Amino acid sequence: MTSRILPLELIDKAIGSNIWILMRGQTEIVGLLRGFDDYVNLVLDDAVEYSPDPRTGEIVKTELKSEILLNGNHVAVLVPGGTGPPDDSMAASS
């Protein structure tokens, strides 16, 4: 029989490693996962945000210098071990 893993167990295993987060909308964040709660609110260190500039549409890369808390209501996809947008994507080219 195949063993099952619950979503929160998977996130728990990712604590202390990088995680790639696709937010609702067009924002993506990559950072070191420090913790989370049952609502999937996430605490990250060394985070980098990729988001489109509203005027030009170009992807802007912003290094977030402090520990951040992401509201779980805005998280669409989590990629444990992810390093961010692929090198050939629009986000990585900025």
Side-chain angles (χ1 to χ4, degrees):
M1 179 180 270
T2 306
S3 65
R4 294 181 186 203
I5 185 167
L6 298 173
L8 293 179
E9 291 176 24
L10 181 63
I11 300 169
D12 189 51
K13 289 182 179 196
I15 290 177
S17 64
N18 275 340
I19 191 163
W20 177 18
I21 303 155
L22 284 74
M23 307 293 287
R24 293 194 310 176
Q26 298 179 336
T27 301
E28 300 178 22
I29 297 176
V30 179
L32 185 66
L33 181 63
R34 290 295 182 200
F36 70 98
D37 63 13
D38 290 341
Y39 301 101
V40 193
N41 295 314
L42 305 170
V43 177
L44 300 174
D45 275 337
D46 303 324
V48 177
E49 177 184 51
Y50 299 90
S51 60
D53 183 306
R55 292 176 296 240
T56 65
E58 291 184 25
I59 301 299
V60 177
K61 178 180 175 180
T62 306
E63 291 189 28
L64 307 171
K65 303 289 185 190
S66 62
E67 185 174 70
I68 64 167
L69 172 65
L70 291 179
N71 184 319
N73 287 330
H74 299 285
V75 172
V77 178
L78 298 172
V79 183
T83 57
D87 291 337
D88 60 351
S89 76
M90 286 179 35
S93 65
S94 62

